[in-house]
């Protein structure tokens, strides 16, 4: 691989030098991707429009341009539409709030519950260091497997609501049953890839 390409942003590269996956084939999504080098198999480095956080972005995902919204550095909202390798489809809904504070985490999870339209029991994922806390819950509704999470910056203000839904309706149902545990582990690993970017810190 050309060394020049590894240090050049994908949006500045010749399209023929990019990986032939949905994320790079979509011009709007490509602007958020930072390298053609995978962070792990099937994922590429993503930087938010606010510059406040980074995460692994699925190769089969595209950002819904029409639904993308950003207010300066304070708020960002967008869906990620994913075609999974096993043939199922998923959507991740992301909402970032720069004003969210550590001491109000419980109220933010209550707000997320209201958005979900049901009571859920959030569990805290352990082992995520001192920089952030991750809370998640999972449930099934209307043919979708839903994994909802709230991620709080522990060093500065800032929080993310992420709702990850797998479409298990119709003929996808059997695939979802077969892959349920694998999907759960994969989604938790994705949640743990989200990292806040704090000034003066790596």
């Amino acid at each position: 691989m050309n060394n020049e390409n590894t240090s050049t942003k994908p949006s500045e590269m010749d399209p023929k030098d990019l990986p032939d996956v949905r994320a790079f084939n979509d011009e709007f999504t490509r602007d958020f991707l930072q390298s053609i080098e995978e962070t792990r198999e099937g994922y590429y480095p993503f930087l938010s429009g606010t510059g406040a956080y980074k995460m692994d972005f699925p190769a089969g995902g595209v950002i819904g341009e029409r639904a993308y919204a950003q207010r300066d550095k304070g708020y960002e909202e967008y869906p990620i539409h994913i075609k999974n390798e096993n043939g199922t489809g998923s959507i991740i809904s992301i909402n970032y709030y720069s004003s969210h504070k550590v001491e109000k985490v419980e109220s933010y999870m209550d707000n997320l519950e209201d958005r979900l339209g049901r009571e859920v029991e959030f569990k805290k994922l352990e082992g995520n260091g001192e920089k952030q806390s991750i809370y998640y819950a999972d449930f099934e509704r209307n043919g979708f497997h839903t994994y909802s999470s709230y991620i709080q910056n522990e060093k500065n203000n800032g929080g993310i609501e992420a709702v990850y839904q797998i479409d298990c309706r119709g003929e996808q149902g059997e695939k979802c049953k077969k892959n349920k545990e694998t999907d759960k582990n994969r989604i938790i690993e994705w949640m743990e890839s989200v990292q806040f970017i704090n000034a003066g810190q790596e």
Side-chain angles (χ1 to χ4, degrees), residues 120-135:
V120 295
E121 182 181 346
F122 285 99
K123 306 168 190 172
K124 186 175 182 180
L125 291 178
E126 301 300 331
N128 289 290
E130 299 177 353
K131 293 184 179 179
Q132 61 197 22
S133 296
I134 301 174
Y135 304 85

Side-chain angles (χ1 to χ4, degrees), residues 99-111 150 152:
S99 60
H100 279 197
K101 301 177 180 179
V102 174
E103 59 268 25
K104 294 185 177 180
V105 163
E106 292 294 332
S107 67
Y108 302 142
M109 286 191 281
D110 288 342
N111 292 341
Y150 180 73
Q152 176 64 47

Side-chain angles (χ1 to χ4, degrees), residues 32 46-50 53-58 62-64 67-70 75-82 91-97 112 115 147-151 159-165 190-191 193-194 196:
F32 295 87
F46 168 99
L47 178 65
S48 76
T50 61
Y53 60 94
K54 57 186 179 179
M55 65 186 184
D56 293 349
F57 193 92
V62 295
I63 296 171
Y68 181 87
Q70 181 186 348
Y75 177 76
E76 188 175 31
E77 174 184 1
Y78 54 93
I80 303 170
H81 301 276
I82 306 168
I91 183 170
I92 310 174
S93 300
I94 303 277
N95 293 73
Y96 166 75
Y97 306 87
L112 180 51
R115 279 187 56 206
Y147 300 82
S148 57
S149 61
Y150 180 73
I151 307 170
I160 295 169
E161 294 175 354
V163 180
Y164 198 126
Q165 294 182 295
W190 171 79
M191 291 175 187
S193 80
V194 178
F196 292 101

Side-chain angles (χ1 to χ4, degrees), residues 3-196:
N3 286 336
E4 182 181 348
N5 284 349
T6 61
S7 60
T8 303
K9 282 193 64 176
S11 58
E12 299 167 355
M13 292 172 59
D14 189 321
K16 67 178 174 49
D17 293 327
L18 299 171
D20 186 18
V21 296
R22 286 184 84 224
F24 286 106
N25 291 336
D26 182 76
E27 186 175 354
F28 184 73
T29 302
R30 194 188 309 153
D31 280 343
F32 295 87
L33 302 176
Q34 302 301 297
S35 171
I36 60 172
E37 294 290 312
E38 292 178 309
T39 52
R40 55 193 169 95
E41 186 176 357
Y43 292 85
Y44 294 89
F46 168 99
L47 178 65
S48 76
T50 61
Y53 60 94
K54 57 186 179 179
M55 65 186 184
D56 293 349
F57 193 92
V62 295
I63 296 171
E65 182 175 3
R66 289 184 180 180
Y68 181 87
Q70 181 186 348
R71 291 197 290 271
D72 299 320
K73 302 293 183 182
Y75 177 76
E76 188 175 31
E77 174 184 1
Y78 54 93
I80 303 170
H81 301 276
I82 306 168
K83 288 184 179 178
N84 299 311
E85 287 186 2
N86 63 15
T88 58
S90 303
I91 183 170
I92 310 174
S93 300
I94 303 277
N95 293 73
Y96 166 75
Y97 306 87
S98 67
S99 60
H100 279 197
K101 301 177 180 179
V102 174
E103 59 268 25
K104 294 185 177 180
V105 163
E106 292 294 332
S107 67
Y108 302 142
M109 286 191 281
D110 288 342
N111 292 341
L112 180 51
E113 263 192 344
D114 289 342
R115 279 187 56 206
L116 294 169
R118 64 181 295 159
E119 289 186 10
V120 295
E121 182 181 346
F122 285 99
K123 306 168 190 172
K124 186 175 182 180
L125 291 178
E126 301 300 331
N128 289 290
E130 299 177 353
K131 293 184 179 179
Q132 61 197 22
S133 296
I134 301 174
Y135 304 85
Y136 92 102
D138 61 281
F139 58 90
E140 298 179 23
R141 181 173 61 184
N142 299 329
F144 287 84
H145 287 180
T146 300
Y147 300 82
S148 57
S149 61
Y150 180 73
I151 307 170
Q152 176 64 47
N153 189 338
E154 293 283 349
K155 292 295 183 182
N156 287 308
N157 290 350
I160 295 169
E161 294 175 354
V163 180
Y164 198 126
Q165 294 182 295
I166 302 175
D167 188 350
C168 296
R169 295 172 296 179
E171 61 185 29
Q172 304 301 330
E174 285 304 313
K175 291 180 181 178
C176 286
K177 287 179 185 176
K178 182 179 178 181
N179 296 303
K180 187 172 182 179
E181 197 61 31
T182 302
D183 286 340
K184 181 177 181 178
N185 292 336
R186 172 172 53 81
I187 291 167
I188 287 176
E189 190 173 3
W190 171 79
M191 291 175 187
E192 292 177 329
S193 80
V194 178
Q195 299 289 324
F196 292 101

